[in-house]
Structures are given as structure tokens and as C-alpha cells.
Amino acid sequence: MVSLIKRIPRSPAQGLFINYLMEIKAFKKRIENLDRKYLWHPFTQMQEWADENPVIITGGRGSFLKDISGKWYLDGVSSIWVTVHGHGKKEIDNAIKDQIGKISHSTLLGLTHPLAAVLAEMLVEITPKGLSRVFYSDNGSTAVEIGLKMAFQYWQHKGKKQKTKFLSLRNAYHGDTIGAVSVGGIDIFQKIFAPMLFKSFHAPSPYCYRCEFHRKYPSCDFLCLMKMEDILKKHGEKIAGLIIEPLVQGAAGMITSPPGYLKGVSRLCRKYNVLMIADEVATGFGRTGKMFACEHENVSPDILCLAKGVTGGYLPLAATLATDKIFRTFLGKYKDLKTFFHGHTYTGNQLACAAAVANLDLFRKEKTIGKMQKKIEILKRELDKTADFPHVGDIRQRGLMVGIELVKDKKTGEPYAIKEKIGSNVCHKAREKGLIIRPLGNVIVMMPPLSISFEELKCLAGITAGAIGEVTGL
Ligand SMILES: *Cc1c(COP(=O)(O)O)cnc(C)c1O
């Protein structure tokens, strides 16, 4: 193993250039073989993967990724929605290196450390008001599990023992663990697991382009919210919490809710005494143009789930924030057994916290959010150019989160069949042109790092448009 790593060809200076190229080629082949032989990739049909030429990433700078052959690609999805200030950001690199010099990990079970405490204060300061306690874990799914369990246990402490169910939205995605899938609403992800899941209530998705009631916003008068209210009216007594991705249902294909929807949901939660759990794993840390999506509609959830961008895209870290009202009900003597019996081994990892503190410092120092408006407008202007492509059905943008829904028939909105793999084909075409983007079904997703430049944004939109045009025809 060690010998293999040592044999990574370093630079042409070590030998003749031709030898170097041959070494690279052999090394690439070796990695491809190891990958095919031993790896099992996430959300990937491995039989088809075996026929692919995998891109092997060995470096990254700013908005770009470099592959093993030295080819550079624009990272159009922030390495799956995590990179914030770019790859190889000096301040975050150094924060992690400095911390490695001290200690890389210690536990939060019975011990604490400065970075966990400092980061907790920073998170409380920047998140919507009312949230005052920070519980760490290491990925978005666990942040959600923790939120669900906290909400559940809260009502047990309050003596409302019948409040054990959850309400979520159709098309929701909250992660891949069993609890998170139970409140998910994407059929193809959960169907097979249905017998393993707990039952929850599902309200309509604010998917205006394919409104289940065939209404149009705003004349619909938020019929989807009325349906949600019907569920709460009928079952509210049994419902502990409502979980929602504020403003953008990401994994469903960047489904953006119309203005006022989120506020409406928050009002319903108050009215029916149901805790509001905001899953800002994707939307948090600036993606929508504000630090958190909830800010757009001045909503303060009872519980907030964070992950993805919290470390600037460097290391796995997540946080679940709760209000004082919730936290206080967990207080008592140990023998009362009101403790929150939950924790993960790497909870509050020191290196991850160091990266997160540096990430948040950068938001302040570089005025990252303030610089976004212009970028959002440029991206919108560029995307508008594809609006009349014959197979672009809907372009959805919230901040720097974008979904372009491709359709077989623009007039009727008839979708492409799964087997046409249209999204995947467009993304492969984009990759040939030096851009990494990912499809979600027939939706082309873009979510560039917040640090992306104006020029790079234009490339992102331009290459994507070119790929869509070539694959779907103009
Ligand atoms: C990605 C995501 C999750 C799951 O996070 P993981 O770190 O992949 O477990 C949960 N909720 C939302 C909204 C997400 O986008």
C-alpha cells in the first residue's frame, strides 16, 4: 500500500517526459482496476460503473478539480454541495494544519475542547433567533436523526406521550439512514426499504411546475398549505414535528417553493403545536443568497439541522441546533433519565471544528454573502438564455442553487423516460467539455462554490447550455 502511494509519479523532472507520461498511464490503469475490483460507490449502479472511464481526482484549486492526467474541470456542484470558499483555501488549510500540530481528535463524552465551544457560539450567533444549543454529529443524516429524536423526546418530557409521529413533504430528502428515509418523500430511494421504515404523514410538495392540483401560483391560494393544514387538523395531536427543507427541496431536483410558502408552514406549526425542524443541510451557509434559507421569510425553527457546508467542504461535521424551550425539558437528575441518549464517536472532531471555525471566519472577513447578489444575477441572466431551448421545461434558481428540468415535450411537460438517462448523458457531455455537474433524474443540478468568479459562472452556464443543446437537440 505504502509503496503504491510512493510510486505516484511526481513530476517530469524525475525522468524523461515520455517516461513520466507512461508512468501516469500505468498508475491510472492501476487505480481504475483497484476501483473496479474493490469499491462500491454511493447511489451508483455498479454494473454500469464498470463500463465507465472514471475521472480520478488528485487535486483541486478554487472552483476547479484536477484529474490524474492533469486535466482541470470546473466543479459545478461544489463536490456535492459542500465546497464554499473553493478548494485549497489557504485559511482553512492552515487552520487544519495548525490543529493537527496540537491534537486531531478527542471526545465530547466527558471532555470538551476550545474549538467545539467556540464554534457552538458562532453557530448560535449566525442562525435564526431562538436556537441556543448545539449538538454535534458528523453528517446530514445524523443531524436529521438527532432532530427527530430530540423532537420526539421533547414531547415525552412534556407529558404529551401521544405525539410520536412526523409530518414531512412529498419529494423531501433528509438523508439515507432509516429515520431520515422514513421522513423522506422520494419514491425511488425508499420503495425497497418501505417495510423497514416508520410511518409518517406526507403533505404535498410545493412543486409548482408539476403542481399536484394543477393550479398556478399565486391564484392557487396555497392549496398545498391547505392540504397540509387538513393533516394537522386531523392528526396534529399525534404529530411531534414537521420536517422541511426550507425554500429548496434539493435532492428532488431543486424544487423551489414560492414566496410565502415557508412562512405559511411555520405558522401552521405554531397553530397546531408541532415542532418545526428545518433541514438546512443543503441550503445552509449561503447557498440561497442568505446565510440560512429560513432568513428569507423570517422564520425561526425549533430545531435546525446543518452539515454539508459547515466546514467549507473540508471535513465531515454536522450540527443540530435546538431552542432553550426544548433543551430545558431534558434537564433533571441523572436518575430521572431525561438525558438525551444519543452520540457519535467522532462527535465534535477537533479537525472538523477547526475547519468550521475558519470557514465561518472567512464568511465575515471576505463578506461572502454580500458578494453573492451580483453572482446570483449573472447566473440568472446566463440561464435565461436556455429558457427557450425545446427540451428545457423549467429552470429553478434560488441563490446559487439551480435545477434545470429537461422534458421530452415542452408543451405538455411530458418527462423523459428513466431509460433515456437524459440527465446523465448531459452531465457526461459537460464533463467532456471540462465541467463536473450531476443529474437528479431529468434535472441538471448546479451548485457552484460561493467563491466562484463571474467568468467561471458564465462558463458554468455556457457549458451546461452547450451540453443540453448537443444531447437534447436544438
Ligand atoms: C445531503 C442532505 C442530507 C444528508 O446529508 P449526508 O451528509 O449525506 O448524510 C440531509 N438533508 C438534506 C436536505 C441534504 O441535502
Side-chain angles (χ1 to χ4, degrees):
M1 197 55 229
V2 175
S3 65
L4 172 71
I5 299 295
K6 274 194 184 147
R7 279 201 285 111
I8 295 181
R10 286 210 180 268
S11 80
Q14 288 169 347
L16 287 171
F17 193 67
I18 187 81
N19 288 349
Y20 171 69
L21 288 180
M22 280 167 65
E23 257 188 87
I24 290 271
K25 227 172 146 184
F27 183 67
K28 182 163 177 262
K29 197 82 222 146
R30 175 95 207 264
I31 298 299
E32 276 177 24
N33 290 340
L34 290 177
D35 178 294
R36 290 203 179 106
K37 187 160 176 206
Y38 293 110
L39 278 185
W40 192 340
H41 287 265
F43 282 97
T44 301
Q45 175 42 260
M46 292 305 288
Q47 185 175 311
E48 293 182 1
W49 175 258
D51 301 328
E52 285 211 21
N53 270 329
V55 176
I56 303 169
I57 299 298
T58 55
R61 273 290 170 277
S63 308
F64 291 89
L65 299 168
K66 186 177 79 170
D67 80 5
I68 193 164
S69 313
K71 180 174 174 186
W72 289 88
Y73 303 83
L74 185 58
D75 185 357
V77 286
S78 299
S79 293
I80 305 298
W81 315 0
V82 296
T83 315
V84 176
H85 304 289
H87 296 282
K89 185 74 180 171
K90 188 173 84 269
E91 288 84 349
I92 306 180
D93 289 1
N94 289 339
I96 296 170
K97 284 182 201 158
D98 287 350
Q99 189 52 39
I100 287 178
K102 297 173 189 153
I103 185 170
S104 295
H105 181 73
S106 61
T107 180
L108 287 184
L109 287 164
L111 298 173
T112 189
H113 64 82
L115 290 163
V118 167
L119 177 60
E121 183 189 41
M122 291 172 106
L123 289 173
V124 167
E125 275 173 5
I126 61 171
T127 48
K129 67 174 186 306
L131 297 160
S132 61
R133 287 282 163 175
V134 178
F135 194 101
Y136 291 117
S137 61
D138 40 39
N139 64 77
S141 307
T142 55
V144 166
E145 295 283 335
I146 288 161
L148 298 174
K149 285 172 79 177
M150 272 178 185
F152 179 96
Q153 193 171 338
Y154 166 79
W155 291 113
Q156 297 300 301
H157 292 165
K158 294 287 279 182
K160 298 228 169 179
K161 307 255 185 218
Q162 76 287 4
K163 276 174 108 60
T164 58
K165 303 273 186 247
F166 289 90
L167 172 56
S168 58
L169 302 191
R170 282 195 269 286
N171 290 320
Y173 177 77
H174 297 293
D176 296 329
T177 50
I178 298 300
V181 176
S182 297
V183 292
I186 299 180
D187 241 23
I188 56 165
F189 295 172
Q190 49 190 163
K191 211 164 152 197
I192 182 89
F193 302 115
M196 296 175 75
L197 308 177
F198 60 74
K199 285 247 171 303
S200 56
F201 297 103
H202 295 279
S205 163
Y207 190 2
C208 298
Y209 180 62
R210 297 189 184 282
C211 174
E212 32 181 294
F213 312 108
H214 307 285
R215 300 281 186 98
K216 285 250 176 302
Y217 174 83
S219 62
C220 61
D221 285 330
F222 282 121
L223 186 54
C224 51
L225 282 180
M226 293 178 209
K227 298 286 176 187
M228 178 182 275
E229 179 155 16
D230 288 346
I231 298 173
L232 286 164
K233 219 181 257 168
K234 199 156 163 217
H235 304 289
E237 281 301 305
K238 285 183 282 186
I239 296 176
L242 174 148
I243 183 162
I244 182 169
E245 297 158 89
L247 297 197
V248 187
Q249 292 190 297
M254 300 293 161
I255 296 172
T256 51
S257 59
Y261 176 82
L262 183 66
K263 190 79 192 170
V265 170
S266 124
R267 280 203 200 99
L268 288 177
C269 288
R270 299 281 170 269
K271 183 169 172 191
Y272 292 93
N273 210 16
V274 157
L275 294 178
M276 180 173 183
I277 305 169
D279 177 356
E280 293 228 28
V281 169
T283 52
F285 303 100
R287 299 286 171 196
T288 64
K290 291 192 186 279
M291 197 56 147
F292 297 100
C294 282
E295 290 173 35
H296 289 274
E297 304 206 354
N298 204 10
V299 161
S300 292
D302 300 290
I303 292 173
L304 176 68
C305 307
L306 303 174
K308 292 200 167 98
V310 64
T311 60
Y314 270 67
L315 287 163
L317 181 75
T320 307
L321 281 83
T323 58
D324 212 40
K325 175 182 91 170
I326 293 173
F327 176 72
R328 273 199 319 265
T329 68
F330 287 73
L331 301 178
K333 292 253 163 43
Y334 185 78
K335 67 173 171 49
D336 301 337
L337 298 181
K338 287 182 164 181
T339 305
F340 187 47
F341 290 110
H342 188 112
H344 297 279
T345 312
Y346 276 102
T347 288
N349 172 265
Q350 297 236 24
L351 295 182
C353 286
V357 169
N359 174 42
L360 295 183
D361 274 341
L362 281 167
F363 268 98
R364 254 189 301 216
K365 252 189 273 168
E366 299 195 340
K367 302 192 170 43
T368 307
I369 301 286
K371 288 179 187 155
M372 279 187 71
Q373 208 45 49
K374 184 91 196 286
K375 297 182 188 185
I376 294 167
E377 281 158 24
I378 288 175
L379 184 56
K380 175 161 183 351
R381 204 179 60 213
E382 295 297 313
L383 288 170
D384 280 347
K385 297 178 186 167
T386 56
D388 49 10
F389 279 29
H391 294 280
V392 168
D394 192 24
I395 302 177
R396 301 184 280 269
Q397 181 189 1
R398 198 76 213 220
L400 290 181
M401 301 174 84
V402 175
I404 301 177
E405 183 162 342
L406 303 175
V407 289
K408 189 158 189 123
D409 185 331
K410 191 163 177 139
K411 248 210 203 97
T412 62
E414 182 196 344
Y416 281 103
I418 291 182
K419 65 170 193 290
E420 291 183 74
K421 295 179 75 176
I422 201 77
S424 173
N425 292 343
V426 168
C427 294
H428 271 91
K429 183 58 76 183
R431 186 198 290 178
E432 284 168 24
K433 298 169 183 287
L435 166 66
I436 301 288
I437 44 175
R438 286 280 303 175
L440 287 163
N442 298 333
V443 179
I444 306 301
V445 168
M446 289 177 230
M447 207 198 276
L450 306 190
S451 57
I452 192 168
S453 70
F454 298 161
E455 276 314 303
E456 290 161 0
L457 268 174
K458 287 178 194 162
C459 284
L460 171 65
I463 296 175
T464 304
I468 291 173
E470 279 182 45
V471 170
T472 64
L474 282 179

